[in-house]
Amino acid sequence: MEALLLGVGLLLGAYVLVYYNLVKAPPCRGIASLRGRTAVVTGANSGIGKMTALELARRGARVVLACRSRERGEAAAFDLRQESGNNEVIFMALDLASLASVRAFATAFLSSEPRLDILIHNAGISSCGRTREPFNLLLRVNHVGPFLLTHLLLPRLKTCAPSRVVVVSSAAHRRGRLDFTRLDRPVVGWRQELRAYADSKLANVLFTRELATQLEGTGVTCYAAHPGPVNSELFLRHVPRWLRPLLCPLAWLVLRAPRGGAQTPLYCALQEGIEPLSGRYFANCHVEEVPPAARDDRAAHRLWEASKRLAGLEPGEDAESDEEPQPVDPGVPSSLSSPHPEEPAASEPYTSPQSSPDLSKVTRRIPVKAEPEPQAS
């Protein structure tokens, strides 16, 4: 009996150590009040995205849930309005697998919303499921769609600067290896899906890096955020039904709840003083180094140019010409860090207010020597 109790005690002690050192997420504090500011969160009808949207709404932001499913998106908006006490939570349709839908969302948003202070790319998929497309669906949803959406919304982000873009990535980017000769080839089979998912997460990190270069001096900063191991729909969506009863209790023990997974994206969106770290990768609410493939500036620029082609952007098309910026209400300051007068959350399945410190600091990049560019085979 004593040996049994000792074994149980050791197991519990080991679990506590693992939980508090690897599983439990540090809380994001950041800006307390977002009154008068607008945030867009993609894939916010469940999981990490819904929890992210909830925290933004609790801080008083106007939050747009950009989701593919109208039924689930409107239900999530209703839930968040009830839970946060903030009626400024709305749904707008967005299917990142469709470039036409991305453009339609941007057009609708720019015509109806005068501000955009925070753009969080949370939506993503880990598998193609039963869908078969003549393109790389994982890269389209996880990277190309967000790339195009960012491009189309940049004029509004610049108008409302200082503003932020957060791209939810993953530690899986460390396994990614981009092959520019076959970026958009269809993905078939689970092995290709695993590789394509890792590649798309590497694309997220490189995109964020190049975006920071493109936006230097504009007041718009951007960050890649790893939510950590999260017990969300993305984890269980493609697990066989017969296996779920076995995995669910294990996932509850060793994976973060979606609220925990939302902390690092929220940190990147709200934390004061991280502007000089624009373009960097964050995990557990602090900046983290990435492997050479994820800090290769030549590869990041090459991906940027390839993404423009995959997104259907014309060679001469510039983000500045995609929108005639609408005049912002002169009575409303345009700084992310200055509160405005008070106004009246992972991934979407594919199948008391106070003044905040000034965030308008100069953005600078920390140069990193680029790795030699691999030759296409």
Side-chain angles (χ1 to χ4, degrees), residues 30-366:
I31 299 173
S33 176
L34 295 173
R35 296 286 180 185
R37 297 154 209 166
T38 298
V40 170
V41 184
T42 67
N45 62 304
S46 65
I48 299 170
K50 189 175 183 181
M51 292 299 100
T52 301
L54 175 61
E55 290 304 316
L56 296 173
R58 282 175 170 168
R59 286 168 164 83
R62 177 173 174 82
V63 184
V64 177
L65 313 185
C67 311
R68 188 173 62 92
S69 167
R70 176 172 295 277
E71 180 181 1
R72 299 186 66 187
E74 289 180 342
F78 176 81
D79 291 343
L80 295 179
R81 287 193 295 267
Q82 295 291 108
E83 191 167 349
S84 68
N86 180 355
N87 287 325
E88 296 294 305
V89 181
I90 64 170
F91 159 81
M92 292 182 68
L94 170 66
D95 181 358
L96 289 168
S98 167
L99 299 181
S101 175
V102 174
R103 287 185 175 273
F105 172 89
T107 299
F109 179 88
L110 293 173
S111 64
S112 62
E113 299 294 330
R115 298 193 60 83
L116 178 56
D117 302 274
I118 301 170
L119 172 60
I120 300 180
H121 293 296
N122 164 80
I125 58 173
S126 59
S127 169
C128 299
R130 299 180 180 178
T131 304
R132 292 293 175 262
E133 300 286 358
F135 51 80
N136 184 335
L137 183 62
L138 282 156
L139 189 74
R140 171 71 67 88
V141 173
N142 295 352
H143 168 66
V144 178
F147 174 90
L148 177 59
L149 183 60
T150 303
H151 185 93
L152 298 174
L153 298 182
L154 268 182
R156 188 58 53 82
L157 285 162
K158 291 177 180 178
T159 299
C160 298
S163 52
R164 295 185 181 183
V165 179
V166 180
V167 182
V168 178
S169 183
S170 166
H173 79 273
R174 299 179 183 280
R175 302 193 305 271
R177 294 293 182 269
L178 291 180
D179 182 350
F180 288 97
T181 66
R182 49 187 301 136
L183 271 183
D184 204 36
R185 291 193 184 179
V187 176
V188 179
W190 66 270
R191 288 186 179 86
Q192 287 190 22
E193 287 183 345
L194 287 175
R195 168 67 185 272
Y197 177 75
D199 291 350
S200 72
K201 296 293 104 178
L202 175 59
N204 290 158
V205 179
L206 290 173
F207 163 55
T208 305
R209 187 174 185 84
E210 180 64 18
L211 182 62
T213 299
Q214 299 278 342
L215 295 176
E216 191 166 355
T218 65
V220 184
T221 53
C222 53
Y223 313 89
H226 171 41
V230 179
N231 183 13
S232 68
E233 287 189 2
L234 194 65
F235 170 71
L236 291 173
R237 189 178 305 149
H238 307 294
V239 173
R241 291 186 181 276
W242 64 269
L243 193 55
R244 291 183 185 182
L246 299 175
L247 286 182
C248 283
L250 182 63
W252 183 82
L253 285 172
V254 301
L255 299 180
R256 292 175 181 173
R259 188 183 302 276
Q263 298 308 303
T264 298
L266 285 167
Y267 179 92
C268 292
L270 303 177
Q271 184 63 35
E272 302 92 338
I274 64 171
E275 293 79 8
L277 298 173
S278 181
R280 300 290 295 276
Y281 172 85
F282 284 74
N284 292 317
C285 296
H286 68 264
V287 70
E288 189 172 284
E289 292 302 321
V290 294
R295 58 177 189 266
D296 185 338
D297 287 330
R298 293 176 63 190
H301 182 72
R302 187 178 180 186
L303 176 65
W304 182 276
E305 296 301 321
S307 300
K308 287 170 67 175
R309 293 191 296 273
L310 293 176
L313 295 170
E314 297 298 328
E317 189 175 359
D318 187 358
E320 298 294 345
S321 63
D322 284 311
E323 175 203 13
E324 288 294 330
Q326 298 182 6
V328 179
D329 186 346
V332 179
S334 62
S335 170
L336 174 64
S337 58
S338 302
H340 308 299
E342 186 169 333
E343 295 182 355
S347 304
E348 177 185 5
Y350 191 81
T351 11
S352 134
Q354 61 187 36
S355 296
S356 305
D358 187 9
L359 296 185
S360 52
K361 299 184 175 72
V362 177
T363 302
R364 62 178 174 86
R365 291 292 308 284
I366 301 173

